[in-house]
Amino acid sequence: MTSQLCAFCGNDDSDERLTTEHFVPRALWDGARPPYTRTVPVHDTCNRHFSGDNEYFRDVLVMEDGAKAHPEVQKLLKGKIKRKIHKRPGAIKNALKNLQMREVRTPGGLYLGHAPSFSMDWPRIRRVLQNVMKGIFYSVQNRPLSADTVYQVVPIESQEDERALADLEPLIAQMNPWVGFGDDVFACRYVFEEKAGDVLLCFMQFYRHRIFMGSAISKVVSDLAAAKAREPFGHEQK
């Protein structure tokens, strides 16, 4: 281990020993993880702090209709999830908050019937994805993102969302191809902008179904960009 800083909190091992952990939640697999999963140094306390969020994240993903055809999701539904329903039904009920039948329509308004849906606890989802982003950055750059990093995470859910990414196309074009860990439970694309400071733009895909876009930008760079955006058109610096 060449660094002694935690990938999640950025602190050293003076208060607590660092261990090598997987930053993509282990809960996403029913059995053993694939052989090429990346690991980063983290405090055991930091890792355990997010264990409940990781499990919740898994439960939400596997309950989505679009993910249920994935082989690993099928294993989970017949294995861990089935056992959880029998042993901890309250936990599943909590994950499927506000479960009810809702209309399903195409972007053009065509009625496709009703399907079960539920409300996601977005702060919990965001915490998991921020840790994945921290892990991606650390596993490539061999250092944690700066403590003042500003994170943004959004789901890519429709063609409209994809078209909204047009302004980012120059950066997206620089991303590496999709890369996983030996299977397709998780895959990501990413690009770093080192000249501007700690900047990461990435796509994170789970079970060949759900894609999230994440950005991590140091506060200094974020503040500079915000200040530039507020400048009046035609403003000249003296």
Side-chain angles (χ1 to χ4, degrees):
M1 189 182 299
T2 57
S3 176
Q4 293 300 309
L5 296 176
C6 175
F8 289 170
C9 73
N11 295 327
D12 59 23
D13 60 354
S14 58
D15 293 329
E16 183 181 350
R17 184 175 64 89
L18 290 165
T19 60
T20 301
E21 299 292 346
H22 298 80
F23 57 85
V24 174
R26 180 179 181 177
L28 296 180
W29 287 270
D30 183 65
R33 285 165 291 203
Y36 303 111
T37 48
R38 299 184 192 176
T39 60
V40 292
V42 299
H43 295 119
D44 183 59
T45 300
C46 290
N47 194 47
R48 286 189 286 106
H49 179 70
F50 297 103
S51 61
D53 291 336
N54 291 340
E55 187 175 308
Y56 172 80
F57 180 68
R58 187 267 323 272
D59 292 350
V60 168
L61 290 181
V62 302
M63 293 298 176
E64 292 188 310
D65 281 339
K68 290 182 179 178
H70 193 282
E72 195 66 31
V73 172
Q74 287 295 315
K75 291 180 184 178
L76 285 162
L77 291 172
K78 296 175 183 177
K80 288 182 179 179
I81 299 299
K82 184 177 180 180
R83 292 191 295 272
K84 184 174 180 178
I85 291 173
H86 287 295
K87 295 180 179 180
R88 299 162 53 202
I92 290 292
K93 183 178 180 180
N94 183 58
L96 304 182
K97 192 178 297 183
N98 300 324
L99 178 65
Q100 58 181 291
M101 299 297 290
R102 291 186 174 90
E103 284 188 357
V104 178
R105 294 182 178 273
T106 67
L110 179 65
Y111 173 69
L112 300 178
H114 279 66
S117 64
F118 54 90
S119 301
M120 290 195 299
D121 188 338
W122 184 243
R124 300 187 76 180
I125 299 291
R126 186 170 58 243
R127 285 196 293 267
V128 174
L129 294 172
Q130 285 180 185
N131 281 346
V132 174
M133 293 165 63
K134 291 175 182 179
I136 291 172
F137 186 89
Y138 199 115
S139 66
V140 177
Q141 303 286 6
N142 201 35
R143 62 184 176 85
L145 281 158
S146 57
D148 67 350
T149 296
V150 177
Y151 297 91
Q152 288 189 334
V153 182
V154 294
I156 306 300
E157 300 182 303
S158 65
Q159 292 182 341
E160 285 77 10
D161 291 335
E162 294 176 3
R163 285 194 288 268
L165 301 176
D167 291 342
L168 297 173
E169 188 55 41
L171 269 178
I172 294 173
Q174 299 176 44
M175 286 183 172
N176 64 301
W178 287 101
V179 58
F181 296 148
D183 66 9
D184 55 6
V185 167
F186 169 77
C188 62
R189 297 183 66 195
Y190 51 82
V191 63
F192 305 104
E193 181 51 69
E194 299 180 40
K195 293 181 180 178
D198 285 353
V199 177
L200 164 68
L201 179 69
C202 67
F203 290 110
M204 297 165 281
Q205 179 177 261
F206 300 88
Y207 301 124
R208 297 198 307 260
H209 165 65
R210 174 64 71 178
I211 299 177
F212 299 91
M213 185 188 75
S215 65
I217 306 174
S218 66
K219 191 173 185 301
V220 172
V221 177
S222 179
D223 289 347
L224 286 173
K228 185 175 181 180
R230 289 194 297 269
E231 289 181 0
F233 182 75
H235 173 74
E236 295 184 359
Q237 291 186 349
K238 298 180 179 180

